[in-house]
Amino acid sequence: MRPESRQAPGRATPGGPLSSDQILEVAQRIVETEGLSALTIRGLAAKLGVAVTAVYWHVGDKHALLEGLAARIIDEMGEITATGRGAQTRVASIARILRVSLLERPELVALVHRQGRTAALFQPARKVLVAELRTAGLGDDQAALAAQAILSLVVGSVLIDRQVERQPAQRDDTDDLLGHDAEVGDVALTPVDEATIFDYTLDVLVKSILGQ
Amino acid sequence: MRPESRQAPGRATPGGPLSSDQILEVAQRIVETEGLSALTIRGLAAKLGVAVTAVYWHVGDKHALLEGLAARIIDEMGEITATGRGAQTRVASIARILRVSLLERPELVALVHRQGRTAALFQPARKVLVAELRTAGLGDDQAALAAQAILSLVVGSVLIDRQVERQPAQRDDTDDLLGHDAEVGDVALTPVDEATIFDYTLDVLVKSILGQ
DNA sequence: ACCTGAACACCGTTCAAGT
DNA sequence: ACCTGAACACCGTTCAAGT
């Protein structure tokens, strides 16, 4: 238990002093690995091998830490490129890629959302979406409106999807989904797959937007 | 500062012993008034004029408290009735009423969502939605699919709407919305109103569902 | 400029008691 | 059955210092 080694175990670059980038990096890893609730300044400082107050010096208080993390995550999510040929396919591909990339990082998306930065998180996708829609012949206002409609569909789908994951057996009330008597053996009660719903709705929406 | 009055100030019914209903009621008022982060077991006990451990005896730990609150809120939100005439109007009215009622209780919706009970919160709306769609002539599977599509649209719209409220001036990056040069004086950057987007998308979706 | 140590006010939770 | 008091381990945050 003697402090025989002066080098702290968690420090990334042992040479220079601590940087806010290092701190945010370790903080993000904590959120990804152990969840948002596991991110405490004290635990973060411990993992960095540093006193709590060092974190305060570099990134400020916990609110500032979360803001910095959100900005970092938004930056990392980066650009989205459409795939396929034809307006319908390309526009839908953007929405689908965005949805999958959000579903892959549930904890980070939750953090960004809690910080009220969801709009900023979607900004890159919105840009390519609008560009694609304008190429398809839509005017500026129509393109902006349609892009936002598609994005809100993605948001809804992602958030509902996570709900299903987190609460797998939510069958406390006996109301059935369709309003008529369910068979006794019918345990599943036609739980429509969220990806199917998303594809269906997206298809309908995009077709209508492109006037087909 | 003497304990001259034996009656605790926050107790609803001074007569009998404490009930979990009373506790949940006060807890809900705290969330509505001061926000979810202001809900602490210690503060709750203080407001009830009772020792912390009394809360534990009735409702269990904090997780159980939040579960109980979520169940209570879901129960309160209750039934939704369609208005107007014609399938298109009636189906859309359900979605619109649901959206408004969710937007009126942002803190409670956030709590339910954090507890992973969003699906249960939407169950009453889903039932009337499916009933209306079946009246309009849709089959069971189609009705379930369409209802879920409409609900995910509501979810997305509500969550984005709250984002805009909470983060009013989010203009740190200079990227414009449409992908071309923005005028210098153009501060607004065509921020499409979320209610407009919702109405537009809902209209498109419902029309497509009803096959018009 | 960068970091430590100690302290403060607050949490959730539990245990042993009381009536 | 219902409630209290005291204690524990954990938070975020700040202040006065150190180099």
Side-chain angles (χ1 to χ4, degrees):
Chain A
M1 287 301 180
R2 286 170 297 142
E4 49 185 6
S5 81
R6 297 222 245 87
Q7 181 48 47
R11 291 288 269 277
T13 54
L18 200 59
S19 77
S20 64
D21 251 16
Q22 287 172 51
I23 298 178
L24 290 177
E25 197 182 323
V26 174
Q28 180 169 336
R29 210 172 52 221
I30 292 175
V31 174
E32 287 172 322
T33 311
E34 308 165 53
L36 183 51
S37 63
L39 178 65
T40 69
I41 294 192
R42 292 183 111 103
L44 177 58
K47 196 156 278 186
L48 284 160
V50 105
V52 234
T53 37
V55 175
Y56 279 83
W57 199 92
H58 283 284
V59 301
D61 63 4
K62 185 148 196 196
H63 181 257
L65 173 68
L66 291 172
E67 290 287 328
L69 259 182
R72 201 184 141 90
I73 292 163
I74 289 166
D75 207 63
E76 271 189 18
M77 292 291 238
E79 219 61 34
I80 280 186
T81 32
T83 64
R85 273 195 286 177
Q88 160 88 20
T89 309
R90 291 180 65 80
V91 169
S93 77
I94 296 168
R96 262 189 277 265
I97 291 166
L98 177 62
R99 191 182 106 96
V100 170
S101 102
L102 293 174
L103 284 176
E104 279 169 353
R105 302 160 179 84
E107 294 289 343
L108 301 186
V109 171
L111 187 154
V112 171
H113 187 247
R114 279 238 237 298
Q115 292 305 112
R117 301 289 321 255
T118 310
L121 183 68
F122 286 179
Q123 189 65 5
R126 172 183 280 117
K127 278 183 72 172
V128 273
L129 214 41
V130 168
E132 206 66 48
L133 289 167
R134 294 190 73 241
T135 303
L138 271 74
D140 286 4
D141 289 0
Q142 270 298 312
L145 188 67
Q148 188 62 19
I150 293 170
L151 287 178
S152 77
L153 188 69
V154 174
V155 178
S157 174
V158 167
L159 292 171
I160 285 183
D161 208 303
R162 269 226 305 283
Q163 291 280 323
V164 176
E165 277 177 42
R166 280 194 293 185
Q167 197 102 340
Q170 200 172 88
R171 311 252 75 259
D172 20 335
D173 58 342
T174 47
D175 299 313
D176 62 326
L177 243 61
L178 294 172
H180 62 77
D181 289 340
E183 294 295 322
V184 185
D186 187 8
V187 199
L189 275 174
T190 54
V192 196
D193 174 42
E194 179 58 31
T196 307
I197 296 157
F198 178 73
D199 281 338
Y200 161 76
T201 318
L202 181 64
D203 192 63
V204 164
L205 182 59
V206 176
K207 268 187 183 138
S208 175
I209 285 167
L210 297 175
Q212 296 177 345
Chain B
M1 284 300 177
R2 283 172 301 142
E4 51 185 5
S5 82
R6 298 222 245 86
Q7 179 50 47
R11 290 289 269 277
T13 53
L18 200 59
S19 78
S20 63
D21 250 16
Q22 286 172 53
I23 297 178
L24 290 177
E25 196 183 324
V26 174
Q28 180 168 337
R29 211 171 53 221
I30 293 177
V31 173
E32 286 172 321
T33 312
E34 308 165 51
L36 183 52
S37 63
L39 177 64
T40 69
I41 293 191
R42 292 183 109 104
L44 177 59
K47 195 156 277 184
L48 285 161
V50 106
V52 234
T53 37
V55 175
Y56 278 84
W57 199 92
H58 283 283
V59 301
D61 63 5
K62 185 147 197 195
H63 181 256
L65 172 68
L66 292 172
E67 291 287 329
L69 259 181
R72 201 185 141 89
I73 293 162
I74 289 167
D75 207 64
E76 270 189 16
M77 293 291 241
E79 218 61 34
I80 281 186
T81 31
T83 63
R85 274 194 285 177
Q88 160 87 20
T89 308
R90 290 180 67 80
V91 169
S93 78
I94 296 167
R96 262 189 277 266
I97 291 166
L98 176 63
R99 190 182 106 96
V100 169
S101 102
L102 293 174
L103 285 175
E104 278 169 354
R105 303 159 178 85
E107 295 289 342
L108 301 186
V109 171
L111 187 153
V112 171
H113 187 246
R114 280 237 239 295
Q115 291 305 111
R117 302 285 324 254
T118 311
L121 183 68
F122 287 179
Q123 189 64 7
R126 170 180 282 117
K127 279 184 74 173
V128 271
L129 216 41
V130 168
E132 205 68 46
L133 288 167
R134 295 190 72 242
T135 303
L138 270 74
D140 285 5
D141 289 0
Q142 270 299 310
L145 187 68
Q148 186 64 18
I150 292 169
L151 287 178
S152 77
L153 189 68
V154 175
V155 178
S157 175
V158 167
L159 291 171
I160 284 184
D161 208 303
R162 270 225 304 286
Q163 291 280 322
V164 176
E165 277 177 41
R166 280 194 295 185
Q167 197 102 338
Q170 201 174 90
R171 309 254 76 255
D172 22 336
D173 58 340
T174 48
D175 299 313
D176 62 327
L177 242 63
L178 295 172
H180 61 78
D181 291 339
E183 294 296 321
V184 186
D186 188 7
V187 199
L189 276 173
T190 55
V192 196
D193 175 42
E194 180 58 30
T196 307
I197 295 158
F198 178 73
D199 282 337
Y200 161 77
T201 317
L202 180 65
D203 192 65
V204 163
L205 183 60
V206 175
K207 269 188 182 137
S208 176
I209 285 167
L210 298 176
Q212 299 178 340

